[in-house]
Amino acid sequence: GPTASNICRIVSTNNSIVEFNVSPSLSPSSTNKWINYVQGVMLQYLPDLKTEETFVLDMAIAGDVPLGSGLSSSASLEVA
């Protein structure tokens, strides 16, 4: 599981804090589905890291794109 040295913490103004490790075995969240967009982008970069490198991240997400309105709030999250 996550340890203090390699944990990623992400919070959204619309959701609670989610904590996880980025590893090849990371599976999609069924509880916090919004976090899967962030994790998917991070997993794309995982092969580019050296063996001794890891993702460590604290991120806060805020925006005014309406969720579920068809305005690509998920795509804007992936690009950010």
Side-chain angles (χ1 to χ4, degrees):
T3 66
S5 63
N6 64 1
I7 195 168
C8 294
R9 284 183 289 269
I10 303 178
V11 64
S12 166
T13 55
N14 299 315
N15 297 287
S16 60
I17 295 174
V18 177
E19 299 181 344
F20 59 92
N21 279 345
V22 179
S23 70
S25 63
L26 183 64
S27 58
S29 174
S30 59
T31 308
N32 297 295
K33 293 184 179 189
W34 65 273
I35 200 67
N36 295 330
Y37 296 105
V38 177
Q39 291 175 338
V41 171
M42 295 173 81
L43 286 172
Q44 289 295 310
Y45 290 102
L46 193 59
D48 296 332
L49 297 179
K50 296 176 184 164
T51 305
E52 69 278 3
E53 294 178 325
T54 186
F55 279 103
V56 177
L57 178 69
D58 287 316
M59 179 189 299
I61 301 168
D64 58 4
V65 176
L67 302 176
S69 66
L71 296 176
S72 297
S73 57
S74 57
S76 64
L77 181 56
E78 292 172 331
V79 172

